[in-house]
C-alpha cells in the first residue's frame, strides 16, 4: 500500500490542466447501457473508480476500449448478464447507477446492495422509490436488489430526502425514464452540473429531457437511443482541490479547463477569506488563476446541495481554515458524519472542536508535519493539502483512496513546486 511523503513549506506556482469530472463520467458510462451502438466519451479521467466502472460494464456485456486519443469507447454487444456482483459493487458505490439503465433497457437488473462507507450511511431508498414509481418491481434478495419491469411508464416523481435531493438517484431515475412510455416529471431533482452533463449526453443519444440543472426535470420517453460522442465536463471538485492547494501555500496557480460557474459557492468563500480568484479564458479554454499573498481570514461554511457549497470540498477547506486568522465554523449538511479528517488534522496541531455535524476551527499560525492516515477520497486530499503547508514532513498513509479521484496527484502537485514522494508502505516499515 502506498504512502505520500510530503515536505511542506513550498509555494505552488505554475499551470496545470484539470481533468474531466469523475462524478460526471461514472453515471454517463452507466447510461451507455441504454444505447444501441458505440458511445465515445472524451476526457474520461484515468482513475481507479473509472477502472472499476469499466470492469462492471464489461461484466454487463459492453466492450470498453481506450482509443489512441485517450477517449473511451463503450459498446454493448451482449445483454445476457444484468447482474452487478457484490465484489464489483463494494469497490465503488457509483455502480448503483447501472440499476436504472439496466431495468429500462433490458427489463431486469440485479445489483448487490451497496454498503455504508467511510463518509457515513449511504442509503439508496430514494433511487428505489423513483424506479418503483416508474413501474419497476423492486425486491431485496440475499443482499441483492432486483428490479424488474417489462416496460417503464412515465409519471410524476418526488426525489427529495432528509438531506436534500440525491445526485446519483436523479441520474438513475432520469436515465431510466428516457425509455419509459409517456412523460416523467422529477420534482426535487438534484441540480448538480454532473446531472446536466448526463442529460446532455442522453439528449445527444436521442432522449428528450428538459429542465436539467433545475429542481424539475421533464423527460418525454422515446423508443430507442443511439450511441454518440460526448465530452465530459471539467471536474469541479478537482479544480476546487487545486485551488485550496494554491491558497494554503500562498501560491499562484493557473488552472486550465475549469468552469468557474460550477464553483460559485467555493469561489465566494475563497474571496471572502482573501484568496484572489480570477477567470482566465485564454485561447478559448476556460480557466482561472488562484493566488494568495497573506494570511487568510476565518469564515463560516455550511455544505448544501448545488449551487450551495459542495460537501466534496468540505475537508479541503477545513485544512485551509486550520491556519486562517481567527475561528471558523463548518457545518456538514449532506453527510453529517463526513469528518474522519478531523482526528488526523488534529495530529498535525490543528485545533478542532466537533459537536454533531459542526466543527469549530481555531486558526493556528502553522501546522506541524506528522504521520497520518487517509480514510476517504476527499479527506485524503485534505491531508495532502495540509501537508503542503505544514512545517516538516507529513506522511499520508493508505493513499489508495486518493487514486480513486485524482490522477497522479503527487506528480501534478510536484510540477507546481510541491515536494511529494510516493513510497510503498513496506519501505517505511523497514
Ligand atoms: C454523489 O454521491 C457523489 N458521488 C458524491 O461524491 C457526493 O459527495 C454526493 O453526490 C453529494 O454531492 C458520485 O457522484 C459518484 P447523494 P451520491 O445521493 O449521489 C442521502 C466523492 O467524494 N440519500 O446526493 O451517492 C445521502 O445519504 C463522492 O466524489 C438518501 O437518504 O450522494 C446523503 O445524505 C463521495 N437516500 C444525501 O442524500 C438515497 O436514496 C445526498 O446523497 C440517496 C441519498
Amino acid at each position: 500500500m502506498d504512502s505520500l511523503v510530503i515536505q511542506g513549506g513550498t509555494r505552488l506556482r505554475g499551470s496545470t490542466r484539470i481533468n474531466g469530472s469523475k462524478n460526471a463520467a461514472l453515471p454517463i458510462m452507466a447510461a451507455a447501457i441504454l444505447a444501441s451502438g458505440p458511445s465515445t466519451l472524451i476526457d474520461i479521467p484515468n482513475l481507479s473508480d473509472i477502472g472499476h466502472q469499466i470492469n462492471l460494464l464489461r461484466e454487463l456485456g459492453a466492450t470498453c476500449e481506450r482509443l489512441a486519443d485517450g477517449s473511451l469507447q463503450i459498446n454493448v454487444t451482449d445483454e445476457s448478464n444484468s447482474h452487478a456482483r457484490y465484489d464489483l459493487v463494494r469497490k465503488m458505490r457509483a455502480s448503483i447507477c447501472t440499476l436504472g439503465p439496466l431495468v429500462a433497457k433490458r427489463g431486469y437488473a440485479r445489483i448487490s446492495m451497496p454498503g455504508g462507507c467511510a463518509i457515513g450511511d449511504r442509503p439508496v431508498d430514494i433511487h428505489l422509490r423513483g424506479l418503483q414509481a416508474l413501474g419497476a418491481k423492486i425486491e431485496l434478495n440475499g443482499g441483492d436488489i432486483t428490479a424488474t419491469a417489462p416496460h417503464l411508464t412515465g409519471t410524476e416523481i418526488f426525489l427529495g430526502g432528509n438531506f436534500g435531493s440525491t445526485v446519483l438517484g436523479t441520474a438513475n431515475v432520469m436515465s431510466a425514464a428516457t425509455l419509459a412510455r409517456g412523460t416523467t416529471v422529477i420534482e426535487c431533482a438534484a441540480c448538480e452540473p454532473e446531472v446536466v452533463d448526463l442529460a446532455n449526453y442522453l439528449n445527444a443519444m436521442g432522449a428528450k429531457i428538459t429542465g436539467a440543472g433545475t429542481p424539475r426535470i421533464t423527460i418525454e420517453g422515446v423508443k430507442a437511443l443511439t450511441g454518440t460522442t460526448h465530452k465530459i465536463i471539467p471536474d469541479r471538485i478537482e479544480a476546487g482541490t487545486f485551488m485550496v492547494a494554491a491558497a494554503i501555500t500562498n501560491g499562484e496557480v493557473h488552472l486550465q479547463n475549469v468552469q468557474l460557474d460550477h464553483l460559485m459557492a467555493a469561489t465566494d468563500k475563497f474571496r471572502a477569506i482573501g484568496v484572489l480568484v480570477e477567470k482566465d479564458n485564454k485561447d478559448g479554454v476556460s480557466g482561472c488563476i488562484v493566488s494568495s499573498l497573506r494570511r487568510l481570514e476565518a469564515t463560516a461554511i455550511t455544505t448544501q446541495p448545488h449551487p450551495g457549497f459542495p460537501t466534496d470540498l468540505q475537508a479541503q477547506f477545513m485544512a485551509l481554515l486550520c491556519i486562517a486568522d481567527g475561528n471558523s465554523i463548518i457545518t456538514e449538511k449532506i453527510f453529517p458524519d463526513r469528518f474522519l479528517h478531523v482526528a488526523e488534522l488534529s495530529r498535525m496541531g490543528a485545533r478542532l472542536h466537533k459537536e454533531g455535524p459542526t466543527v469549530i476551527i481555531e486558526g493556528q499560525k502553522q501546522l506541524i508535519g506528522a504521520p497520518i492516515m487517509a480514510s476517504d477520497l476527499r479527506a485524503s486530499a485534505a491531508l495532502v493539502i495540509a501537508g503542503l503547508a505544514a512545517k516538516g514532513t507529513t506522511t499520508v498513509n493508505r493513499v489508495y483512496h486518493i487514486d480513486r479521484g485524482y490522477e497522479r496527484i503527487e506528480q501534478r502537485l510536484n510540477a507546481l513546486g510541491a515536494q511529494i514522494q510516493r513510497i510503498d508502505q513496506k519501505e517505511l516499515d523497514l
Side-chain angles (χ1 to χ4, degrees), residues 29 41-47 50-51 54 58 64-73 407:
M29 289 166 70
L41 302 175
I42 300 165
D43 227 358
I44 296 272
N46 224 336
L47 302 168
I50 298 290
I54 288 175
R58 285 185 175 144
C64 300
E65 200 191 335
R66 280 271 183 195
L67 304 181
D69 62 2
S71 59
L72 180 71
Q73 194 173 74
E407 195 175 322

Side-chain angles (χ1 to χ4, degrees), residues 130-371:
L131 295 174
Q132 239 162 354
L134 288 172
K137 185 173 164 207
I138 305 284
E139 287 171 306
L140 189 63
N141 263 322
D144 288 346
I145 302 163
T146 56
T148 321
H151 63 83
L152 298 174
T153 308
T155 186
E156 285 178 9
I157 304 172
F158 179 75
L159 280 190
N162 291 342
F163 300 95
S165 189
T166 158
V167 179
L168 293 181
T170 302
N172 244 330
V173 175
M174 180 171 79
S175 299
T178 57
L179 293 182
R181 293 182 185 167
T183 301
T184 300
V185 178
I186 302 176
E187 290 287 1
C188 203
C191 302
E192 270 66 7
E194 293 77 15
V195 172
V196 179
D197 204 30
L198 172 62
N200 289 340
Y201 168 62
L202 291 166
N203 281 341
M205 292 205 292
K208 292 188 174 165
I209 303 172
T210 53
T214 76
R216 177 185 291 169
I217 300 178
T218 305
I219 307 124
E220 223 181 286
V222 296
K223 287 225 162 70
L225 299 175
T226 29
T228 187
T229 296
H230 177 80
K231 184 172 184 297
I232 304 292
I233 54 169
D235 194 317
R236 64 192 167 104
I237 304 304
E238 184 179 273
T241 304
F242 273 84
M243 289 164 89
V244 176
I248 204 169
T249 61
N250 284 141
E252 180 169 340
V253 170
H254 174 220
L255 300 175
Q256 305 147 45
N257 198 36
V258 176
Q259 258 182 268
L260 266 192
D261 57 331
H262 292 171
L263 275 161
M264 285 182 71
T267 300
D268 186 57
K269 286 298 168 196
F270 277 125
R271 289 180 175 147
I273 63 176
V275 180
L276 293 172
V277 179
E278 291 165 69
K279 228 183 219 175
D280 178 81
N281 293 351
K282 264 194 211 123
D283 308 324
V285 180
S286 58
C288 68
I289 297 170
V290 186
S291 58
S292 83
L293 299 168
R294 59 178 173 88
R295 189 161 178 213
L296 299 173
E297 287 155 41
T299 191
I301 291 176
T302 300
T303 64
Q304 284 169 335
H306 191 78
F309 190 93
T311 172
D312 290 346
L313 286 177
Q314 178 257 108
Q316 299 89 317
F317 264 75
M318 188 177 297
L320 179 61
L321 294 174
C322 284
I323 53 167
D325 188 9
N327 294 345
S328 298
I329 181 163
I330 292 186
T331 301
E332 175 55 67
K333 288 254 173 128
I334 309 291
F335 295 110
D337 296 327
R338 194 177 200 177
F339 284 125
L340 285 172
H341 42 287
V342 166
E344 303 303 310
L345 289 171
S346 302
R347 288 174 53 76
M348 300 177 73
R351 299 193 72 173
L352 304 171
H353 312 274
K354 183 176 164 319
E355 187 63 49
T358 295
V359 175
I360 294 168
I361 304 145
E362 268 183 68
Q364 302 297 298
K365 284 239 161 70
Q366 194 156 41
L367 294 174
I368 316 287

Side-chain angles (χ1 to χ4, degrees), residues 22-23 122-126 166-168 312 334 338 378:
K22 163 182 89 76
N23 288 350
R122 309 264 314 262
V124 291
D125 54 314
I126 308 175
T166 158
V167 179
L168 293 181
D312 290 346
I334 309 291
R338 194 177 200 177
R378 306 304 170 187

